[in-house]
Amino acid sequence: MTPESLRIKIPLDPEGFIALQCPRCKDSFQIRMSDLEQLEDPQIYCAQCGICNSKALFLLRQNVRKVAMQHAENLLADMVSNFTKKLQQSSRDSNGWRITGSKLPVKPVSKVRPTLGLTATELLCCETTIKLSFGNAVSIFYCPFCGQTQD
């Protein structure tokens, strides 16, 4: 059996920002996709709580996880259906047994939607812009690239 892979497109907002979610505090923030791609370090900092973690963990927002699971369930259904079909074909030549089955249904998959409505703020330390939610009266935040405290 060959390994399967899934590609899930994570949309950017109209200004080229991608939404990230901290695996620890669950807060969301956005950075420019171009800044994320240029970053050589495999880790970034949460803009809200300051924890440092793998870029990949920040990309796995809850709605991205949901879409990934829907795709994985459909991939598994296709794999089981194909396996059952091969068993049916091979059992035709058998004298003593016969396998029957039906194709498993494939469910509709949601789309990942861009996060909108966050406020852009300048980071002097790394000379870039990020977007944050200031709804929780946040007065201190962190640079996702260098971890420096901002206020």
Side-chain angles (χ1 to χ4, degrees), residues 1-144:
M1 186 178 292
T2 60
E4 300 289 336
S5 63
L6 296 173
R7 289 191 84 97
I8 298 172
K9 183 173 178 156
I10 301 173
L12 306 179
D13 77 358
E15 296 153 26
F17 285 80
I18 186 167
L20 304 175
Q21 183 178 37
C22 177
R24 177 176 164 226
C25 71
K26 305 296 185 215
D27 269 337
S28 293
F29 60 97
Q30 292 177 298
I31 63 176
R32 280 192 183 96
M33 187 62 183
S34 58
D35 289 342
L36 185 64
E37 290 172 339
Q38 290 175 4
L39 188 63
E40 292 179 17
D41 193 337
Q43 298 192 332
I44 59 172
Y45 298 84
C46 173
Q48 302 290 350
C49 73
I51 189 172
C52 184
N53 224 322
S54 165
K55 291 186 284 190
L57 291 177
F58 283 94
L59 287 169
L60 291 175
R61 298 186 340 260
Q62 288 174 342
N63 61 345
V64 174
R65 282 189 191 106
K66 178 183 171 189
V67 171
M69 288 303 296
Q70 291 170 340
H71 277 293
E73 288 171 3
N74 285 340
L75 180 61
L76 181 60
D78 283 343
M79 290 170 71
V80 169
S81 294
N82 289 337
F83 180 72
T84 304
K85 184 177 179 180
K86 288 178 184 177
L87 283 176
Q88 284 176 318
Q89 290 170 347
S90 67
S91 72
R92 286 184 191 146
D93 298 334
S94 174
N95 292 334
W97 52 278
R98 190 173 281 314
I99 296 176
T100 60
S102 59
K103 184 168 174 62
L104 294 174
V106 175
K107 299 175 184 173
V109 176
S110 307
K111 290 191 178 197
V112 179
R113 303 207 186 283
T115 302
L116 303 173
L118 300 181
T119 305
T121 186
E122 295 291 322
L123 299 175
L124 299 177
C125 56
C126 291
E127 298 179 352
T128 190
T129 302
I130 63 171
K131 291 185 179 182
L132 298 169
S133 171
F134 286 105
N136 298 334
V138 174
S139 59
I140 295 176
F141 56 96
Y142 302 86
C143 173

